[in-house]
Amino acid sequence: MLSSFRKRTVQKMDPSGVKVLETAEDIQERRQQVLDRYHRFKELSTLRRQKLEDSYRFQFFQRDAEELEKWIQEKLQIASDENYKDPTNLQGKLQKHQAFEAEVQANSGAIVKLDETGNLMISEGHFASETIRTRLMELHRQWELLLEKMREKGIKLLQAQKLVQYLRECEDVMDWINDKEAIVTSEELGQDLEHVEVLQKKFEEFQTDLAAHEERVNE
């Protein structure tokens, strides 16, 4: 009975309206062709969806990387500013720099997050793995440069502040010496006993003052 079924023919209209005859084997072959084509179609659809998702993740990564790079460049300009060479308001500049350091540290999580996202895509064999790897390396280079410049500026601001304090103290000592110099260079020795006692008392007061300034001068 199966052999007689296979020998049957089925009438079918093609798109042009011409009747064609197909055997059971032809129908089975056509069926398999359709199924194979459909499976391939679904595979291509899945592949296309994956590529679009990968592209979206990459573009998302690129956007975040560009924003971080722009932010780093802006902060690099601040960190590279040599305002420590101007001795005015150094205390205010130090306070501002400390706030700047806190801001940079607070944003350190951005590069950590990019690292995680980028390295995950690389481990998954993303089509832009080399671009992602290069981008991360450059961002790390810029980030390390920012930290270095920030640290250097902090040190130089402290050095500038210490120098200003030192020069101020030097000036104070010189002013004190100038003020007291008349005492040690005076040729006056007294006209009588009472006068000499007055001069000696003033000189003893000066000696006490001198001793008080000794430690400051040595420092």
Side-chain angles (χ1 to χ4, degrees):
M1 184 172 179
L2 180 59
S3 61
S4 63
F5 171 76
R6 287 179 177 173
K7 291 179 181 179
R8 294 180 194 169
T9 59
V10 178
Q11 291 186 344
K12 182 180 179 182
M13 297 289 292
D14 70 356
S16 63
V18 180
K19 293 181 179 180
V20 295
L21 297 177
E22 293 184 345
T23 64
E25 287 83 353
D26 291 335
I27 294 173
Q28 179 63 24
E29 183 179 356
R30 179 63 58 84
R31 170 184 173 275
Q32 193 59 49
Q33 288 175 350
V34 171
L35 290 176
D36 291 344
R37 182 69 180 275
Y38 182 70
H39 289 319
R40 177 57 180 163
F41 177 76
K42 287 186 67 176
E43 289 174 357
L44 290 172
S45 175
T46 302
L47 184 60
R48 174 63 175 166
R49 181 180 63 186
Q50 185 61 50
K51 286 182 176 180
L52 285 173
E53 288 177 355
D54 288 345
S55 179
Y56 175 79
R57 292 169 66 198
F58 175 66
Q59 293 303 327
F60 200 87
F61 169 84
Q62 284 282 69
R63 186 202 65 182
D64 288 349
E66 288 172 3
E67 289 179 354
L68 179 59
E69 183 176 35
K70 182 180 178 181
W71 184 86
I72 291 174
Q73 290 302 317
E74 290 174 353
K75 300 308 173 185
L76 264 174
Q77 291 183 1
I78 298 174
S80 301
D81 180 21
E82 297 181 341
N83 63 350
Y84 53 84
K85 291 184 177 180
D86 179 6
T88 59
N89 193 27
L90 282 171
Q91 184 59 38
K93 291 174 183 177
L94 269 168
Q95 291 175 349
K96 190 174 181 180
H97 185 72
Q98 289 169 354
F100 174 70
E101 289 178 322
E103 180 188 2
V104 171
Q105 291 301 326
N107 282 275
S108 60
I111 196 166
V112 174
K113 184 178 178 181
L114 269 177
D115 263 338
E116 292 174 351
T117 302
N119 287 323
L120 177 60
M121 287 192 287
I122 291 172
S123 68
E124 292 174 349
H126 194 280
F127 66 85
S129 290
E130 283 306 311
T131 301
I132 295 169
R133 185 178 289 109
T134 302
R135 198 83 169 92
L136 287 174
M137 289 175 61
E138 176 60 18
L139 282 172
H140 273 281
R141 185 192 69 80
Q142 294 182 27
W143 181 260
E144 292 302 322
L145 179 61
L146 172 60
L147 295 181
E148 180 183 352
K149 290 291 184 181
M150 181 176 68
R151 181 184 62 82
E152 288 178 357
K153 185 175 180 180
I155 291 173
K156 289 178 179 178
L157 279 169
L158 286 172
Q159 289 176 340
Q161 186 186 50
K162 288 180 180 179
L163 176 60
V164 168
Q165 290 173 346
Y166 172 75
L167 294 176
R168 187 180 296 119
E169 289 172 1
C170 287
E171 187 176 349
D172 289 345
V173 170
M174 292 298 291
D175 288 344
W176 178 80
I177 291 174
N178 290 332
D179 184 55
K180 303 298 180 181
E181 196 166 15
I183 298 176
V184 297
T185 58
S186 175
E187 297 291 338
E188 189 175 13
L189 298 177
Q191 299 173 355
D192 52 37
L193 180 61
E194 185 179 348
H195 190 198
V196 172
E197 288 176 347
V198 170
L199 292 175
Q200 283 183 328
K201 184 177 181 180
K202 287 184 177 180
F203 191 76
E204 287 173 0
E205 290 174 352
F206 162 73
Q207 292 279 51
T208 301
D209 198 11
L210 177 62
H213 280 77
E214 185 80 17
E215 184 178 350
R216 186 177 180 188
V217 171
N218 290 336
E219 185 180 337

